[in-house]
Each structure stands twice: as structure tokens, then as C-alpha cells.
Amino acid sequence: MLGIAVGLAIGVMVVPWPGPVATPTQREIHINARQFAFEPARLRVNRGDQVTLIFHPTDVVHGLYLEGYGVNLKAVPGESAQATFVADRAGKFRYRCSVSCGSLHPFMIGELVVGPNAFPWRASALAIIAALGTVAFLYVRAWEASR
Ligand SMILES: [Cu+2]
């Protein structure tokens, strides 16, 4: 029984899975900035998406520097700045204010999460197998105990 579960788990790791389910899309994301926060402070896109960031400071001059992608924007209140890039690297990337805008300026940070564009088939299948394996194990143990 345990052997079957282990075998299935190995199979799941080795077998190729269906390709990406999310096709790359174009996204326009507006980010407001004020002392001392970005809104939104967390962005999520899929790998391969073409992202246009449109940056709007609302109180004083702010900047937005996105690590990993080298995007650097700066604008005065009432105006906006924008940049377009392809999110071709997965992972978490911080963005922070690049203009010294006050005492809490160093804490003005946000996070861009570039996720994989495929449904996590592998992880889901492993979780199911683990659950079935646990049930089977408990069942066998109960059966043995009853003899
Ligand atoms: Cu700032």
C-alpha cells in the first residue's frame, strides 16, 4: 500500500504536465504614492505578462524603483509617470520610493509577485496522494489492530 503511494508520488514528479493555462496578458496597474506608502503595496502578475505601471504621487514628489526589473519612475503630485515591461522573471521583487520624501521614506516599500503562469498541478496531485496514503495507512493499521 505504501509502495503504491510512493510509486504514484514519483510518477507525479516525473510525468510532464499540461502546459501553461494562463496566457500572457497586458496589464495596466495604477499605483498611488503618498507619505509613506504605496497603494497598492502588493501587486500580483503572471510570468510573461506585459505590465504597464502608471505611477501617481498624491502629496509630494515620490519615486518608484522596482528591483529586479530596473524600472525607475518619478513624478510630481498631479502628474504621472509610466513604464512598461514584460514580467519575464518569476519571484518577489520589492519596489521602493526612490526620492527622499520624508522621515519614513525608507519604509515606503511594496512588493511585486510574479507567479508562475501554470496551475500547480504537480503540487495538487502530490497533496491528494499524500492524503490518500495517510487514509490507507490508518485503515491498514486499524485493520491489523482488530485481528
Ligand atoms: Cu516617497
Side-chain angles (χ1 to χ4, degrees):
M1 196 52 111
L2 188 62
I4 294 172
V6 170
L8 277 175
I10 291 172
V12 163
M13 296 303 286
V14 173
V15 164
W17 288 85
V21 290
T23 45
T25 48
Q26 291 192 6
R27 293 170 188 267
E28 275 197 358
I29 300 172
H30 291 263
I31 302 180
N32 289 324
R34 60 177 163 82
Q35 287 170 314
F36 295 96
F38 291 107
E39 167 62 36
R42 191 177 165 89
L43 305 175
R44 201 172 199 302
V45 302
N46 292 322
R47 190 172 179 183
D49 287 354
Q50 189 187 74
V51 180
T52 297
L53 296 180
I54 305 155
F55 178 61
H56 311 271
T58 57
D59 48 8
V60 299
V61 178
H62 290 286
L64 187 156
Y65 176 74
L66 174 61
E67 290 174 3
Y69 284 94
V71 170
N72 199 0
L73 299 170
K74 180 183 171 184
V76 299
E79 293 186 7
S80 63
Q82 68 177 61
T84 299
F85 62 95
V86 175
D88 52 3
R89 306 165 65 189
K92 292 181 176 181
F93 304 92
R94 292 206 307 179
Y95 49 93
R96 54 189 166 77
C97 188
S98 55
V99 173
S100 190
C101 60
S103 56
L104 297 178
H105 160 76
F107 301 100
M108 207 172 149
I109 29 186
E111 186 181 60
L112 168 73
V113 179
V114 181
N117 57 0
F119 184 80
W121 294 107
R122 212 177 286 268
S124 309
L126 279 178
I128 292 168
I129 290 167
L132 289 177
T134 304
V135 169
F137 173 76
L138 293 174
Y139 180 80
V140 168
R141 206 171 61 170
W143 180 75
E144 282 174 350
S146 70
R147 287 199 301 171

